[in-house]
Amino acid sequence: MNFDEFTGEVQHRLEFPDTGRTLRAIRAALMPLGQRIPEGNADDLAASLPLEIEWYLTGAVIDHGQRFDWSEYLSRVSEIEGDAVDDAEAAYHARVVVDLVAEQVPGSDFQELRDQLPESEDDGNWRNLFEIVDAGGWTGAREGQTEGDTQTTTPGGDEPNAPFEE
C-alpha cells in the first residue's frame, strides 16, 4: 500500500472531508506511539508502512521509550490532532489508524507493539487502542455493529463516526 492508498483508506474509514484532516489524525495517532515504544520496535513497526507514514513513528520522534499511560496517549493525540478533538474522538481515530497499520505490517511486528503496551486496567489499559483489531478489523467491526443492516455505522455507535465507549 502506498501513501495515497493509506491516507485514502483512513480518510474513507473516518469519513473525513479532506486529506489535511486525515493526515493530522494519522500523525496524531502514530507520533505518540513512536514516543511510547522503544526505537527498535518503532523501526520494526514502521518498516512495512509507506515512507511518509513511517516518518510519524520514527523520524518525527525525538525521544522513544517514554512511559505514559492510555490517558496521556489520548491527551497527546487530541493535542496533535487539534480542531477541538476530544479524547473519545481521539481514541476512535487512533483505533482506526492502528487497525490499518495492523493490516499492513507483519503480525510479529504488530505483536511487538502490543507487547510494549500494558493491556490490564491496573497498568494503563492500552487494550482500548486495539478494540477494532480485536473485533476482527475494520470490516469485522462494521459487520458486527450493523448485524446485516444496510445502514452505515461505525464501531461503537449507531451514528457515523461514533467513537467507541471508554
Side-chain angles (χ1 to χ4, degrees):
M1 180 174 275
N2 67 33
F3 173 75
D4 290 334
E5 292 167 333
F6 189 96
T7 56
E9 185 61 26
V10 172
Q11 184 173 349
H12 168 73
R13 291 178 184 194
L14 292 177
E15 299 180 4
F16 282 165
D18 61 78
T19 305
R21 180 141 188 231
T22 303
L23 287 173
R24 281 193 308 276
I26 294 168
R27 180 179 45 141
L30 296 180
M31 280 182 61
L33 276 182
Q35 294 167 344
R36 177 61 173 76
I37 62 178
E39 185 173 6
N41 293 104
D43 290 339
D44 290 346
L45 186 65
S48 298
L49 299 174
L51 183 61
E52 302 89 343
I53 303 302
E54 175 184 333
W55 176 255
Y56 297 137
L57 283 164
T58 59
V61 176
I62 295 169
D63 188 17
H64 292 275
Q66 297 176 34
R67 303 301 294 175
F68 54 86
D69 64 10
W70 170 248
S71 178
E72 174 61 21
Y73 171 77
L74 291 180
S75 294
R76 292 179 186 206
V77 172
S78 295
E79 182 179 329
I80 294 168
E81 197 165 348
D83 292 333
V85 171
D86 64 21
D87 284 356
E89 287 176 296
Y92 178 67
H93 298 167
R95 288 177 183 119
V96 168
V97 171
V98 166
D99 179 59
L100 185 56
V101 167
E103 293 175 17
Q104 301 306 307
V105 304
S108 60
D109 292 340
F110 193 75
Q111 187 58 49
E112 282 183 18
L113 171 66
R114 290 192 82 144
D115 291 346
Q116 294 298 317
L117 303 171
E119 295 189 29
S120 72
E121 288 185 36
D122 297 336
D123 201 15
N125 214 15
W126 282 92
R127 76 171 172 267
N128 292 318
L129 183 60
F130 305 108
E131 285 185 3
I132 294 176
V133 172
D134 293 342
W138 178 252
T139 303
R142 288 178 60 91
E143 288 171 1
Q145 288 297 312
T146 60
E147 297 178 349
D149 191 5
T150 58
Q151 179 183 1
T152 300
T153 61
T154 55
D158 294 329
E159 301 175 26
N161 285 336
F164 274 99
E165 296 299 318
E166 289 303 306

